[in-house]
Amino acid sequence: MNSPPLRTLPDRLRQAILFELLGVFLITPLFTLASGEPLLESAALLALISLVASLWNAAYCTAFDWLEGRLTGRRADQRPQVLRLAHALGFEGGLLLFSLPVIMAWTGMDFWTVLVTDIGLALTYTGYAYLFNLAYDRLLPIPSNS
């Protein structure tokens, strides 16, 4: 079975940058409200996590797309809804492992408070990731001849 075309590096970079910029803009006010941290501190923390998430996003999405393509012969923009949900949950679960210690160190909050806060962020971003990637795939599909 031939592997289907993947997104190009420039396309993947555009996707990751748009995802993170829009995410920080949308999530910072919610995080500020939920955590009690000042707005600028929240924005700086979320920007740092966003940088980590961008690197994770590029690696995770590329690996997921490659594996899915190898196993199914399907392009990522043709992904069924159930797999889109699994993709979003896997991404956020992996990011949780990276972000938990960063939030603890930055805010000084205890483990359980940060865990609940981080899970709230992960759930919020899971929904956001699902909607963002669905819209991205619909607006910017992968060319068949890439």
Side-chain angles (χ1 to χ4, degrees):
M1 178 183 306
N2 289 340
S3 292
L6 298 175
R7 292 199 176 276
T8 63
L9 179 59
D11 187 21
R12 197 53 89 191
L13 289 172
R14 175 182 56 200
Q15 181 184 23
I17 290 167
L18 287 172
F19 178 86
E20 296 305 332
L21 287 176
L22 186 58
V24 168
F25 178 76
L26 293 172
I27 303 302
T28 296
L30 296 172
F31 181 80
T32 298
L33 197 62
S35 70
E37 293 292 311
L39 182 64
L40 291 178
E41 288 287 318
S42 295
L45 171 61
L46 292 176
L48 175 62
I49 292 172
S50 176
L51 177 61
V52 171
S54 294
L55 298 173
W56 172 237
N57 185 39
Y60 178 82
C61 288
T62 300
F64 196 99
D65 293 355
W66 180 85
L67 182 61
E68 179 184 11
R70 287 292 210 185
L71 295 174
T72 68
R74 181 177 47 235
R75 294 188 329 237
D77 60 339
Q78 299 170 331
R79 183 173 294 145
Q81 299 304 315
V82 166
L83 245 152
R84 287 186 178 282
L85 182 59
H87 176 266
L89 289 170
F91 173 80
E92 291 304 329
L95 186 58
L96 185 73
L97 296 174
F98 296 119
S99 60
L100 189 66
V102 172
I103 295 172
M104 285 178 66
W106 189 285
T107 65
M109 289 190 273
D110 67 89
F111 174 81
W112 293 110
T113 302
V114 172
L115 182 62
V116 169
T117 301
D118 210 3
I119 288 172
L121 280 172
L123 290 173
T124 302
Y125 262 96
T126 298
Y128 167 63
Y130 174 83
L131 294 172
F132 177 89
N133 287 308
L134 179 61
Y136 192 88
D137 284 344
R138 297 301 181 257
L139 294 171
L140 300 163
I142 301 168
S144 295
N145 58 357
S146 289

